[in-house]
Amino acid sequence: MRRLIPAALALALLAGVNTPAQAAAPGHIRVDQVGFLPDESKHAYLMTSGRAGRFTVVDRRGRVVLTGRAGPDRGAWNSTYPHVYDLDLTRLRTPGSYRIKAAGAAPAEFEIAPSRNPAAGVLGFFGLQRDGADAPRTPSHLNDRAASVYDWPEFTGPDTDQIKGELRRIGGPVDVEGGWFDAGDYLKFTHILAYVDTLLWAAQRDGKAPGRALRNEAAHGLKYLDKMWDEESKTLYIQVGIGAGNVEGTFVGDHDIWRLPEADDGDAAAGHQFIRHRPVFRAAAPGQPISPNLAGRTAAAFALAAQVEPSPRRAARLLDQAASVYATARTTGVARLVTSLPHAFYPESVWRDDMQLGAAELALAAQRLRDPRAGRWLADSARWARGYLDEDQGDTLNLYDVSALAHADLLKAMRAAGAGGTGGPAVTPGTGATGGLAVTEADLIAGLKAQLDLGARRAAADPFRAGARYDTFDSVPHAFGLAATARLYRSVTGDRAYDAFGTQQRNWALGANPWGVSFVAGAGENSIACPHHQIANITGRPATGAVVNGPNGAELFEGGLGGHFEEMPPCPADGVDRHAEFTGHGSRFVDDVRSWQASEPADDFAAIALYALVLTST
């Protein structure tokens, strides 16, 4: 969990950021460590303390294939590196392996038409995250098959996960075995899993070469969502486990200990009762309206599965499940949204995008099945889109804002209705105007463009063309979200104006950043090495495909990283922060198992990275 500092890690504070050396620093070339497609825009960056001249690119045999002059200077990164020069490699299109050379800097390697897409590794990460009997490593948390339901706990403050008093049992047993661990810990959240599964099914639908492994993983997530939604009682369960124990010290939570997940079922230690038998919490009382963000994204996952399910009978059942969840949404008098306990773990505040997405996916599934409800859901999605465009714009595609996917899929549903698809008002050819709907095609395209323009303005002012903010949480998923949005925009408009921008956001996440780190484990020569991930840390096996937060606000590290759990092997072994000299623009990246603010992987990070990599693979 990446929103609150676990109490046990607040001990043994270390020193803060190292002071940059006063001597002239060597230059560094930063480039996407996975590579480029032949037709893409291609850029690398030379960060240096001096002026730059020419650069050279050689092939694997050492033959010069491209020369050019560095420039322009895109500005300072920090006092050690006052210059960042653009190295334009776009003219090079021939597939192969290459090295960039520039005076004063070590060569950097890259590929054109790389043989491996990191999407496969990211998909494999979900296998590592599997819980329950289907976990490929060792089955874990089988006690979740008969879990007790508890009332929402009271916390000691708005910015803490420490619980006040005891938990109060209100029901159960319920079967919540399975699913995925949320992050580097072992908690499970419906809010996250529904978003993740939606993107996995979207990748299955939208990818050029969808595979059985992707479908199987999406089905694994849907199986768990089916457990979390009790159709008979109309109850949605939202969380399994607690982050921290209580202030009285009578029990501990998931973040208070460091272990392998298969140890939990037999953990008989004093105070570990909620480690051994994990509590379950629900969104609302049975039959009562549920938070609209949860209803919308959970419905979207079921409806997307219905769009790709080959059996019409099974697809119709999935559509009915989606419709049932969608119908429970509270859409009037909405106060604080329900995400997790505590809410500070995942502080979402916007919900119309979730309802728009849910309704759009319902409409598309219904059109495919020629279900007469398609028109109603199409109108609903347009109404929620209107509300989002009028009230909620300002973010880009990520866990907290799914409007980019919602806009693109609503456009598809509107066009299908206008072309004679089942349900929905007719579309006036050539105008995008749909009689009776609250938005037009032009409105939705403008909404997509606004998000891309927001990222493009940031990129224009950033030395490494980052379109996401990297001095706060979730910089890497925002970068992948912008890359995905650029492709969604192209898919619904045919306009390639944002292609180069989208490529640059993927490049930034995969190594073309100040730290020279690929934030996807195993993708590139210098990828994240010490993720805040218990299984990987204890077993010593790499968490291949894990996608981490990446850089974060430098102030979050001012008190140090805290101590190690007794069971936590130090990583890096010597404790040295090799990226301290690259702290700049109010941001810092630390590759250390303790640096949950930067190095903790999460399922939602992996899901948007997977979707972006699938969309941009050809």
Side-chain angles (χ1 to χ4, degrees):
M1 186 50 46
R2 57 184 189 275
R3 294 305 185 202
L4 301 175
I5 300 175
L9 290 184
L11 306 175
L13 299 182
L14 302 180
V17 179
N18 296 339
T19 301
Q22 297 303 309
H28 299 275
I29 298 172
R30 305 309 197 195
V31 67
D32 186 323
Q33 295 171 24
V34 174
F36 306 88
L37 296 176
D39 294 336
E40 286 183 324
S41 167
K42 306 173 189 70
H43 291 268
Y45 304 91
L46 172 62
M47 56 190 302
T48 178
S49 58
R51 297 295 176 182
R54 301 189 67 80
F55 69 92
T56 302
V57 178
V58 299
D59 64 16
R60 62 191 311 168
R61 297 181 181 180
R63 298 177 300 189
V64 175
V65 295
L66 180 69
T67 61
R69 180 168 293 278
D73 185 347
R74 295 190 55 82
W77 176 248
N78 59 22
S79 60
T80 306
Y81 297 100
H83 306 285
V84 178
Y85 294 97
D86 179 83
L87 307 181
D88 191 345
L89 315 174
T90 304
R91 286 184 292 146
L92 190 59
R93 301 163 61 93
T94 304
S97 298
Y98 301 94
R99 284 184 300 156
I100 314 169
K101 297 180 178 182
E109 298 184 355
F110 71 98
E111 289 187 67
I112 294 179
S115 56
R116 297 185 62 185
N117 186 334
V122 175
L123 180 61
F125 173 70
F126 286 103
L128 182 63
Q129 294 295 93
R130 281 195 184 195
D131 195 16
D134 292 335
R137 199 180 63 84
T138 304
S140 55
H141 297 125
L142 300 185
N143 288 349
D144 287 354
R145 290 172 173 170
S148 293
V149 181
Y150 290 82
D151 199 1
W152 287 14
E154 182 181 356
F155 297 97
T156 57
D159 295 318
T160 177
D161 59 350
Q162 190 174 57
I163 293 170
K164 182 187 299 183
E166 302 296 325
L167 296 183
R168 186 172 70 90
R169 186 180 184 276
I170 57 174
V174 293
D175 179 4
V176 292
E177 176 263 339
W180 299 298
F181 308 130
D182 168 63
D185 51 47
Y186 304 132
L187 302 180
K188 298 187 291 191
F189 300 99
T190 300
H191 175 253
I192 311 302
L193 196 138
Y195 168 81
V196 168
D197 210 44
T198 292
L199 289 176
L200 293 189
W201 286 114
Q204 176 74 16
R205 180 194 65 185
D206 300 339
K208 302 300 182 184
R212 182 179 298 274
L214 175 55
R215 185 182 185 89
N216 287 345
E217 206 59 51
H220 175 79
L222 200 70
K223 178 181 178 182
Y224 186 72
L225 279 181
D226 188 43
K227 290 185 175 185
M228 299 303 275
W229 169 244
D230 185 336
E231 176 66 37
E232 184 176 349
S233 67
K234 296 294 190 288
T235 303
L236 184 67
Y237 298 102
I238 60 168
Q239 180 171 329
V240 178
I242 50 174
N246 64 350
V247 67
E248 293 80 6
T250 59
F251 60 84
V252 302
D254 187 90
H255 297 164
D256 296 322
I257 57 177
W258 193 263
R259 79 286 187 199
L260 292 175
E262 58 266 28
D264 287 359
D265 280 349
D267 188 344
H272 287 213
Q273 60 267 37
F274 295 125
I275 301 297
R276 182 170 63 255
H277 296 290
R278 306 199 296 173
V280 181
F281 305 95
R282 62 193 187 190
Q288 294 301 304
I290 63 176
S291 194
N293 57 312
L294 287 168
R297 62 181 53 197
T298 303
F302 283 114
L304 266 159
Q307 292 172 36
V308 299
E309 170 57 47
S311 164
R313 181 176 299 178
R314 169 66 178 158
R317 286 200 299 269
L318 289 168
L319 178 60
D320 286 342
Q321 281 182 288
S324 182
V325 179
Y326 177 82
T328 66
R330 176 187 297 278
T331 57
T332 59
V334 178
R336 190 168 77 170
L337 300 178
V338 176
T339 57
S340 57
L341 300 170
H343 179 73
F345 277 166
Y346 291 106
E348 184 175 32
S349 60
V350 174
W351 57 270
R352 293 177 182 86
D353 58 316
D354 293 291
M355 291 297 290
Q356 179 193 346
L357 180 64
E361 304 307 348
L362 282 161
L364 286 169
Q367 288 172 344
R368 176 183 181 234
L369 295 170
R370 306 197 68 78
D371 187 303
R373 294 174 289 181
R376 182 209 316 166
W377 288 320
L378 181 65
D380 270 6
S381 186
R383 177 164 55 90
W384 296 126
R386 181 74 275 154
Y388 173 87
L389 292 170
D390 290 345
E391 304 290 339
D392 298 325
Q393 289 191 89
D395 200 356
T396 58
L397 181 57
N398 76 108
L399 174 66
Y400 302 116
D401 190 322
V402 295
S403 62
L405 180 57
H407 291 348
D409 281 2
L410 175 54
L411 271 165
K412 295 175 187 175
M414 290 168 62
R415 288 169 178 172
T422 300
V427 178
T428 304
T431 68
T434 309
L437 293 185
V439 292
T440 66
E441 288 189 19
D443 292 331
L444 298 172
I445 291 170
L448 286 170
K449 191 174 184 299
Q451 295 187 29
L452 291 167
D453 286 341
L454 175 63
R457 286 193 297 272
R458 290 176 181 151
D462 184 76
F464 294 86
R465 292 192 172 96
R469 289 185 57 192
Y470 40 74
D471 59 352
T472 188
F473 281 98
D474 298 359
S475 57
V476 170
H478 272 87
F480 278 120
L482 287 166
T485 302
R487 282 303 179 103
L488 290 172
Y489 177 83
R490 187 219 284 188
S491 73
V492 296
T493 65
D495 182 0
R496 292 175 173 262
Y498 295 96
D499 280 11
F501 165 76
T503 297
Q504 289 155 7
Q505 304 320 297
R506 188 196 73 223
N507 298 157
W508 182 89
L510 294 175
N513 56 65
W515 302 271
V517 174
S518 168
F519 299 119
V520 180
E525 293 298 315
N526 186 33
S527 66
I528 176 77
C530 297
H532 182 84
H533 190 270
Q534 295 183 64
I535 295 175
N537 175 252
I538 294 172
T539 65
R541 299 173 183 173
T544 302
V547 181
V548 301
N549 182 92
N552 212 324
E555 73 279 359
L556 295 178
F557 303 92
E558 289 176 356
L561 301 179
H564 293 86
F565 286 104
E566 183 179 347
E567 303 82 3
M568 177 191 281
C571 186
D574 59 9
V576 174
D577 177 7
R578 290 170 174 78
H579 301 291
E581 68 174 302
F582 306 122
T583 295
H585 285 229
S587 66
R588 184 179 177 191
F589 174 70
V590 185
D591 191 358
D592 190 297
V593 67
R594 297 165 297 168
S595 66
W596 63 272
Q597 308 96 321
S599 69
E600 184 173 14
D603 293 356
D604 60 291
F605 299 169
I608 188 59
L610 176 68
Y611 188 52
L613 291 167
V614 166
L615 291 182
T616 61
S617 62
T618 57

